[in-house]
Amino acid sequence: MDWAPKRPVPVLPLPGVVMFPNGEMSLRVFELRYRTMVRDALSSERLVAVATLAPGWEQDAQGSPPFHEFGCVARFEEVEWLPNDHYDLRVRGTMRVHFGRVVREFPYRACTVETMPDAPYTESDELATMARQDLLTERARLAPLGREVWLAPPVFEPSAPLSTVVGTLATAARIPADEKLALLAEDNVVERARLLRARLRLLGILGPPPPPALGRN
C-alpha cells in the first residue's frame, strides 16, 4: 500500500493488543481522551495508530504510558455512537509503522510515523503458495477450539492474498503480545507466515496466554 498519513497520527495504546495490516478488530472506547480522538478522526482521515503498551504502563495509566516502537495504522470501518457517549468501533489495519516523535500529548498523543513496507513477493511464488495453504490448514485445525484460541473468528475471502491471511490470523490469534510484535517487525510476508504457522501449531497444544492484568480501551 503506497498511502501514507498526511499529518501526525493519533495513537491509541492498548494493553496486550497487536494489530496487523488487513486484520480487523472491535474496540469499545470509553475514556474521555480517546472519545475525543474518535471524534477528531471521524472529522479527518478516520485513522488511528494502534500501539501496544510496554511493560510498566500501569504506573502511568492515566498519563502517558510507554508503548512499543512498532504499531499499525488502522482505519475506521464501522463506528457506533452509544447513548452513554462511548463508541463501538470496527477497525481494519492498513500498514505497519515505526513510531517517531510525539508531537502532541494533550488530550491524547499523536506521533509522526515511518511506514514499514513489506518486502516484495508474488502470490504465485511456490513458497508463498505453500505458506498460504499451511495457514489455511492451521485455521481449519483450530476452528473447533473457537474462542479458546481466537479473539474473534478470523474471516476472509477464499481468494484472499497471503498478506490478508497472515494479517487476519495474526490479529485474531490468542498469542502473547511480545510474539506478535516480533511477527509485526518481520518485513518478509512469507517468513511472517512461516513464523505464524509455527506459533499456531503450538496454540492448540499449549493453549492461549493469560489475559492482560487490566483491560483498557
Side-chain angles (χ1 to χ4, degrees):
M1 186 175 183
D2 296 329
W3 173 90
K6 297 178 181 178
R7 58 182 65 89
V9 182
V11 179
L12 179 61
L14 299 169
V17 173
V18 182
M19 187 161 210
F20 289 77
N22 302 302
E24 292 191 2
M25 66 173 59
S26 297
L27 299 170
R28 174 159 292 181
V29 179
F30 53 84
E31 196 172 335
L32 177 58
R33 55 180 163 175
Y34 298 121
R35 283 184 276 151
T36 302
M37 174 191 291
V38 170
R39 287 190 283 268
D40 290 349
L42 287 172
S43 65
S44 181
E45 297 169 303
R46 298 175 67 92
L47 300 170
V48 298
V50 177
T52 307
L53 286 166
W57 66 269
E58 299 92 341
Q59 300 175 22
D60 194 20
Q62 301 305 314
S64 298
F67 52 83
H68 287 278
E69 61 181 327
F70 301 120
C72 183
V73 171
R75 185 183 302 277
F76 294 171
E77 296 290 307
E78 298 177 12
V79 179
E80 181 181 2
W81 177 80
L82 304 175
N84 59 2
D85 202 30
H86 296 176
Y87 288 93
D88 276 349
L89 306 179
R90 185 72 176 170
V91 299
R92 182 177 180 85
T94 63
M95 66 178 59
R96 301 178 305 134
V97 294
H98 181 273
F99 292 109
R101 184 170 56 94
V102 176
V103 298
R104 182 174 64 194
E105 287 279 356
F106 184 83
Y108 52 81
R109 279 176 288 183
C111 286
T112 60
V113 296
E114 179 182 354
T115 59
M116 300 167 58
D118 292 332
Y121 77 98
T122 58
E123 294 294 329
S124 59
D125 179 85
E126 182 178 0
L127 291 178
T129 301
M130 291 175 58
R132 184 179 182 280
Q133 184 55 53
D134 286 343
L135 287 177
L136 295 180
T137 299
E138 288 303 313
R139 182 181 70 158
R141 183 181 67 85
L142 294 171
L145 299 179
R147 292 282 183 152
E148 292 182 29
V149 295
W150 303 115
L151 297 168
V155 178
F156 44 78
E157 294 293 330
S159 60
L162 177 61
S163 59
T164 296
V165 174
V166 172
T168 302
L169 296 181
T171 299
R174 291 186 182 274
I175 297 173
D178 58 344
E179 296 185 28
K180 285 193 174 186
L181 286 166
L183 290 174
L184 188 68
E186 173 57 58
D187 293 333
N188 187 304
V189 176
V190 177
E191 177 64 9
R192 197 183 307 152
R194 186 190 69 80
L195 294 171
L196 175 60
R197 185 234 184 176
R199 191 56 183 82
L200 291 178
R201 287 177 66 85
L202 289 176
L203 193 56
I205 300 172
L206 301 179
L214 178 65
R216 179 169 175 269
N217 291 15

